[in-house]
Amino acid sequence: MDMALPPRIRKLEESVVNRIAAGEVIQRPASALKELLENSLDAGATVVSVIVKDGGLKLIQITDNGHGIRYEDLPILCERHTTSKITAFEDLQKVSTLGFRGEALASMTFVAHLTVTTMTEGQTHGYRASYKDGVMEGDPRPCAAVKGTQIMVENLFYNVTARRKSFKNPSDEYARVVDVISKYSIQNPKVGFSCKKFGDARADVQTPGNTSSLEAIRAVYGPGTSRELIEIKTSKNDSSDFFEMNGYISSANYSAKRTTMILFINDRLVDCAPLKRAIEVVYAAVLPKASKPYIYMSIRLPPEHVDVNVHPTKKEVSFLNQESLIEAIQTAVEQELLQSNKSRTFYAQTSLEAAFLPQGQPASQAENKSSQKAPVNKLVRTDSQSPAGRMHAFLASGAELKNDLAAMRRIVRQRRHSNDTSGSSSGSSAVERMLAAVDTETHSGLLEIVRHSTFIGMADDVLALIQHKTRLYLMNCLTLSKELMYQQALVRLRRLNALRLTNPAPVYDLIVMALDEEEQCGNYHATDGSKDGIAQVYCNQILKRAEFLRECFSIDIDDNGNVCTLPLIVEQHTPDMDRLPLFALHLSKSVDCDVEDECFETVARALSEFYALHPPLLPRPSTNPPAVCAESNETEMDEDVGLEAESKWSQRDWTIQHVLFPAMKLLLKPPVRMATDGTALQFKTSVVVVFPNENW
């Protein structure tokens, strides 16, 4: 039987090798521009202008005022591995320039048409030369020019059909080009950068030069970003572990849906995934809502500590003592954030005159004063009983819009038709006193707003926007849901329906898990006693009150110490089970009282904290498309975790609109404190209000 012979090994032709190398170095128009920008900066340019056509596929033209290229160097300019940056391999150990391999221009000539116009100091005219496949076509031609270099890259990937067809949207490629220029303009504020589309009179990026990095950020990203940045600096002076870092990071007031990270190491734009993750961990732990940060950092390391020759496009580098450097930077970021988080800035409304009616004043009296001869811009834009004007109507699908308020109202009214408004049927005088206090503390003006408002949409993860007549209000969903759950737990005492858990949860294990979380937050220390001992004490306290919890609050705990049922406080709403361990811990403290009546309020408060509509523990997945500067397949979070987070956030948003607000309109009696503690804010005039961090 004949055996198949192994294929022969052949040496590839030089043209094939060059095209393969070109595909690695020049991946897209933005990577070509990055190489050209670095050449301009290495040439000492103080002004760099870029013109782009069709996202860089038709034309990339870059002009600088650097030292230019010698006439005698033009013939070998675009040959592979010709460079003025290094002369020996040892030079790589201390390279300080951005370019060093001499591959970029050569690679471009194999996938595009390249033309160079240059003039050096002291020459009376410049020279222009064209290149193809690494070879100059003809001799350099004298031409009019100014000191510096202009390089035109035309018809990029004209001979690589598959690569060119993959760039379906020139606008996306142009956005990547703009992103590269923007980042280099921040790192090099003394250099003036401009970038515009071919034929446009106005530049999309324009920095003046001779300025600071913060001013460059203002010019590129806008004042809204620059005013929320804080300067950060840190360093180490050890001979074996030396580095300097400076830059700007976003403060507690900055809010974005995705991370913006601009990192330069020895003036080289690079990616460093471990450093990015370390900083994001700090922001997730310090700031609310897992806000995504803005980060600009410039790190200076000894050249001999950095290996720049580890990636074809030089977007990654390897350096010594990476772990200790990241730890030092992470600590510095955490310290700056803790200091900046002492106050928060809100762009809200300051004037609350007539926002809430004085106690005892009829709702119609104040409204009539402002509604007479109302101008057009003061007319009510939507019927409070119709969902047509809600923000969600413009965002949600048709299937979601069928879940309107009517169905929820019918369910809630069915639950409310008994003597819910007059007090508890439990006969407990303590509960009756608590419900009487709720009635006494009800704010009539805020009650009017809640009962006759229209839900518009979520302003952020906690605040919802509603409309009452001609006014808009921001309402804190977390605070409102806590109060609603507390009131309903008392109103429905001994009449709460039960939710049965599929898998009963051991109380002891839940409390141990809660203590672990408390330890991470610094609320538990080893000196407090062993976790097992504390958990056993708390578990015994709950078991002693098991009958009370089952009879009054439908919390069924079997003889083995397992939670079997939880109460249904508001129809169609179940609590976030990720918070069950913390609820078990709070419950164990709530039932630790000698008189049964005293437990009603403490247990109701524990339930309200558990059932309140907290933001999910997982961060909200970004709804933005991938960043224009991303050239890797790295994702923001694991796909499975992302799907789980998306499901939890979608369910919470739906519950707020279709469950919480309908129930509030029918059942909630807002207390007086909500008119002044920031639970409700009225829009009137735009200003900046600063609140202490303790009240955030």
Side-chain angles (χ1 to χ4, degrees), residues 238-533:
D238 298 341
S239 58
S240 61
D241 192 13
F242 172 85
F243 81 91
E244 292 179 349
M245 185 277 288
N246 61 79
Y248 293 90
I249 59 174
S250 54
S251 67
N253 299 310
Y254 181 81
S255 179
K257 292 184 178 180
R258 70 177 325 279
T259 300
T260 298
M261 182 162 185
I262 304 171
L263 175 63
F264 283 83
I265 296 181
N266 290 359
D267 294 324
R268 190 182 305 279
L269 178 63
V270 296
D271 294 336
C272 185
L275 178 59
K276 181 180 179 182
R277 286 194 294 268
I279 296 175
E280 286 182 328
V281 166
V282 174
Y283 274 89
V286 174
L287 298 184
K289 306 179 297 179
S291 296
K292 298 299 184 181
Y294 178 100
I295 307 153
Y296 159 64
M297 289 183 179
S298 178
I299 301 175
R300 184 71 58 183
L301 296 168
E304 60 271 18
H305 289 184
V306 183
D307 184 359
V308 297
N309 192 31
V310 297
H311 195 276
T313 62
K314 298 176 288 188
K315 75 169 187 174
E316 294 179 1
V317 297
S318 177
F319 51 91
L320 298 179
N321 306 311
Q322 176 173 305
E323 292 79 9
S324 63
L325 184 146
I326 291 175
E327 183 179 357
I329 293 177
Q330 185 182 37
T331 301
V333 170
E334 186 173 14
Q335 290 174 350
E336 290 292 340
L337 284 180
L338 289 174
Q339 293 176 9
S340 71
N341 204 30
K342 293 179 180 178
S343 66
R344 302 300 303 271
T345 303
F346 297 86
Y347 297 91
Q349 320 304 328
T350 55
S351 177
L352 296 178
E353 54 187 89
F356 305 109
L357 303 178
Q359 294 295 312
Q361 179 178 351
S364 59
Q365 180 177 344
E367 191 60 39
N368 288 338
K369 294 180 181 179
S370 60
S371 61
Q372 295 175 356
K373 298 182 180 180
V376 174
N377 66 323
K378 292 293 185 180
L379 296 177
V380 180
R381 66 175 179 82
T382 180
D383 179 5
S384 64
Q385 303 302 317
S386 170
R390 299 183 196 135
M391 185 188 303
H392 191 70
F394 298 94
L395 303 176
S397 64
E400 289 176 322
L401 293 177
K402 294 179 182 178
N403 297 311
D404 57 14
L405 293 177
M408 185 60 205
R409 286 197 182 101
R410 287 194 297 270
I411 294 174
V412 176
R413 285 194 181 104
Q414 290 173 2
R415 296 278 294 159
R416 192 187 179 211
H417 76 278
S418 57
N419 298 327
D420 288 348
T421 58
S422 61
S424 169
S425 61
S426 66
S428 169
S429 58
V431 175
E432 291 176 356
R433 287 195 300 271
M434 285 185 280
L435 291 175
V438 169
D439 292 335
T440 303
E441 290 294 315
T442 300
H443 191 291
S444 60
L446 190 52
L447 179 64
E448 165 71 14
I449 292 172
V450 171
R451 292 286 170 89
H452 301 93
S453 63
T454 301
F455 180 87
I456 298 177
M458 294 300 294
D460 64 10
D461 294 342
V462 175
L463 299 177
L465 189 65
I466 68 170
Q467 177 176 336
H468 175 253
K469 297 187 177 179
T470 61
R471 293 173 180 152
L472 296 175
Y473 298 88
L474 282 173
M475 310 296 283
N476 189 310
C477 298
L478 181 58
T479 307
L480 290 169
S481 60
K482 284 183 183 180
E483 187 63 26
L484 174 65
M485 302 304 169
Y486 168 72
Q487 294 181 11
Q488 288 304 298
L490 295 178
V491 166
R492 305 186 190 285
L493 195 72
R494 292 194 173 96
R495 295 185 293 107
L496 288 161
N497 290 335
L499 298 168
R500 183 163 295 278
L501 302 185
T502 305
N503 297 312
V507 174
Y508 176 83
D509 293 345
L510 292 174
I511 295 176
V512 171
M513 293 171 60
L515 291 174
D516 289 339
E517 295 179 11
E518 292 287 284
E519 184 177 18
Q520 294 178 3
C521 298
N523 298 327
Y524 166 82
H525 304 280
T527 55
D528 298 333
S530 69
K531 293 180 186 177
D532 293 339

Side-chain angles (χ1 to χ4, degrees), residues 609-628:
E609 182 69 27
F610 180 35
Y611 279 73
L613 286 160
H614 297 270
L617 299 178
L618 291 172
R620 184 188 289 271
S622 173
T623 56
N624 288 350
V628 295

Side-chain angles (χ1 to χ4, degrees), residues 62-181:
I62 181 169
T63 306
D64 65 58
N65 65 343
H67 52 56
I69 303 170
R70 297 173 183 266
Y71 170 78
E72 55 269 25
D73 291 339
L74 289 175
I76 64 170
L77 174 66
C78 293
E79 291 183 7
R80 290 191 68 196
H81 307 306
T82 56
T83 178
S84 62
K85 315 299 174 58
I86 62 174
T87 58
F89 178 77
E90 289 73 21
D91 294 339
L92 284 175
Q93 308 303 318
K94 55 181 187 295
V95 65
S96 59
T97 56
L98 300 178
F100 57 89
R101 284 194 295 236
E103 282 190 312
L105 291 178
S107 297
M108 293 179 203
T109 64
F110 287 101
V111 293
H113 301 122
L114 189 139
T115 303
V116 177
T117 303
T118 186
M119 177 177 170
T120 58
E121 185 73 34
Q123 288 185 323
T124 58
H125 59 81
Y127 291 93
R128 180 173 297 150
S130 299
Y131 298 85
K132 182 179 180 181
D133 294 340
V135 179
M136 183 172 65
E137 296 182 314
D139 296 328
R141 303 177 299 279
C143 64
V146 295
K147 176 179 170 287
T149 303
Q150 180 186 87
I151 297 180
M152 290 194 301
V153 182
E154 300 176 279
N155 300 318
L156 189 60
F157 302 120
Y158 73 96
N159 55 356
V160 188
T161 306
R163 180 76 64 91
R164 190 175 181 89
K165 286 184 177 180
S166 67
F167 304 119
K168 297 180 180 179
N169 191 344
S171 297
D172 290 344
E173 298 309 311
Y174 181 68
R176 293 175 184 268
V177 167
V178 169
D179 185 73
V180 170
I181 297 175

